């Protein structure tokens, strides 16, 4: 029992705004550097060094942007919904900030996935857009992100806005497995999984490693962007607290 109580104390201490802000200041630069290195290698390896695909030719190279963006659209919403669960059950202010701060970043990756998918679809399918199961469910995901953003701006009280955003995030999370499994559940023009499928990926190693590097790099960029946005949100919400005043004074010095 004592051990369990100690663990919960550690959890709440880490979730306190000043403790998180100090931790974020240490980790954000490291995440930024790791993201730049990983994305840099992924872009060079994918757009320059990887051989052309034997079926799609040079057009396949858009996957080095499209696939990481699509993965991050799902990861971002899952992270947002997880934070919403914590915020609603335990009413932790930090989790509320994560919900509202992750939405614009996740929406950007979702929009990027849709745009690059359309550019890829034109030479592959002969059309920029079709009402395919994967594309339609991904579009719904973008609308869910935008709904969270709009809700957050509709309330004057930030905590009320965060709770409303959290409820929408939890309701909308049902769309995440629909996006992921849509190519398996329905007849779809979108190709099936080639990297994440069980067994050996259907992609050569010299194409796979840059793609994985881009994906991890985009994930670290997502973490960096959300952390920095959460820091700004905390400063805004806690602007009258003593720890924020002390931090502002340290900058003046």
């Amino acid at each position: 029992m004592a051990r369990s109580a100690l663990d919960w104390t550690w959890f709440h201490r880490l979730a306190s705004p000043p403790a998180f802000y100090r931790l974020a200041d240490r980790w954000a630069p490291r995440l930024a550097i790791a993201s730049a290195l990983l994305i840099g290698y992924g872009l060079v390896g994918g757009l320059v060094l990887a051989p052309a695909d034997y079926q799609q030719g040079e057009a396949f190279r858009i996957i080095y942007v499209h696939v990481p963006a699509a993965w991050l659209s799902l990861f971002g919403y899952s992270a947002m919904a997880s934070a919403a669960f914590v915020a609603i059950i335990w009413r932790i202010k930090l989790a509320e900030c994560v919900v509202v701060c992750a939405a614009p970043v996740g929406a950007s990756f979702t929009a990027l996935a849709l745009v690059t998918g359309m550019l890829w679809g034109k030479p592959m399918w002969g059309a920029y857009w079709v009402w395919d199961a994967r594309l339609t469910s991904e579009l719904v995901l973008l609308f869910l992100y935008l709904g969270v953003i709009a809700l957050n701006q509709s309330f004057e009280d930030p905590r009320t806005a965060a709770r409303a955003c959290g409820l929408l995030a939890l309701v909308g999370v049902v769309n995440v497995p629909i996006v992921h499994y849509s190519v398996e559940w329905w007849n779809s023009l979108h190709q099936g999984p080639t990297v994440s499928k069980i067994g050996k990926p259907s992609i050569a190693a010299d194409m796979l490693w840059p793609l994985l590097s881009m994906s991890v790099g985009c994930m670290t960029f997502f973490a960096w962007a959300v952390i920095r946005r959460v820091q700004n949100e905390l400063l805004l919400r806690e602007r009258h607290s003593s720890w924020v005043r002390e931090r502002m004074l340290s900058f003046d010095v």
Side-chain angles (χ1 to χ4, degrees):
M1 293 295 291
R3 176 65 177 175
S4 177
L6 179 61
D7 289 343
W8 279 108
T9 301
W10 173 85
F11 174 77
H12 283 280
R13 186 169 63 250
L14 179 62
S16 70
F20 172 82
Y21 199 99
R22 289 192 297 269
L23 184 65
D25 263 350
R26 289 199 299 268
W27 278 98
R30 302 173 189 179
L31 289 171
I33 293 171
S35 176
L37 292 175
L38 289 166
I39 291 176
Y41 166 73
L43 288 175
V44 173
L47 302 183
V48 179
L49 301 180
D53 184 75
Y54 76 100
Q55 287 183 322
Q56 301 180 20
E58 299 292 344
F60 99 99
R61 298 187 191 279
I62 202 168
I63 70 169
Y64 293 103
V65 178
H66 173 71
V67 171
W71 284 352
L72 262 295
S73 69
L74 301 180
F75 172 81
Y77 200 93
S78 300
M80 188 173 67
S82 299
F85 179 81
V86 173
I88 291 173
I89 299 300
W90 288 285
R91 298 185 180 275
I92 294 177
K93 187 180 297 185
L94 178 62
E96 295 175 356
C97 293
V98 172
V99 173
V100 299
C101 293
V105 185
S108 300
F109 276 108
T110 307
L112 181 61
L114 286 168
V115 171
T116 53
M118 292 167 64
L119 295 175
W120 193 7
K122 180 62 175 178
M124 297 300 109
W125 305 336
Y128 287 111
W129 182 268
V130 292
W131 291 102
D132 176 84
R134 172 62 63 84
L135 273 67
T136 304
S137 55
E138 185 76 6
L139 180 62
V140 171
L141 187 66
L142 176 61
F143 289 153
L144 288 168
Y145 274 121
L146 296 178
V148 171
I149 296 171
L151 264 182
N152 185 50
Q153 298 175 349
S154 300
F155 295 88
E156 293 185 3
D157 178 45
R159 303 212 70 176
T160 302
R163 284 193 287 272
C165 293
L167 289 173
L168 177 58
L170 287 175
V171 171
V173 77
V174 68
N175 189 54
V176 171
I178 293 176
V179 175
H180 182 71
Y181 292 107
S182 57
V183 294
E184 300 176 16
W185 291 348
W186 294 285
N187 292 327
S188 174
L189 288 175
H190 197 285
Q191 71 182 59
T194 57
V195 177
S196 60
K197 72 178 185 178
I198 298 175
K200 186 177 180 181
S202 302
I203 181 171
D206 50 359
M207 298 177 179
L208 175 62
W209 287 111
L211 180 58
L212 294 178
S213 181
M214 277 291 295
S215 300
V216 178
C218 287
M219 189 171 295
T220 54
F221 174 81
F222 178 91
W224 171 82
V226 172
I227 284 174
R228 286 308 196 191
R229 290 181 62 87
V230 169
Q231 284 186 295
N232 291 335
E233 183 72 15
L234 286 175
L235 289 178
L236 180 63
R237 291 191 181 199
E238 301 278 303
R239 60 188 179 275
H240 300 302
S241 63
S242 59
W243 73 269
V244 173
R245 289 197 296 269
E246 291 173 2
R247 187 166 187 86
M248 295 300 104
L249 288 174
S250 67
F251 286 144
D252 292 338
V253 173

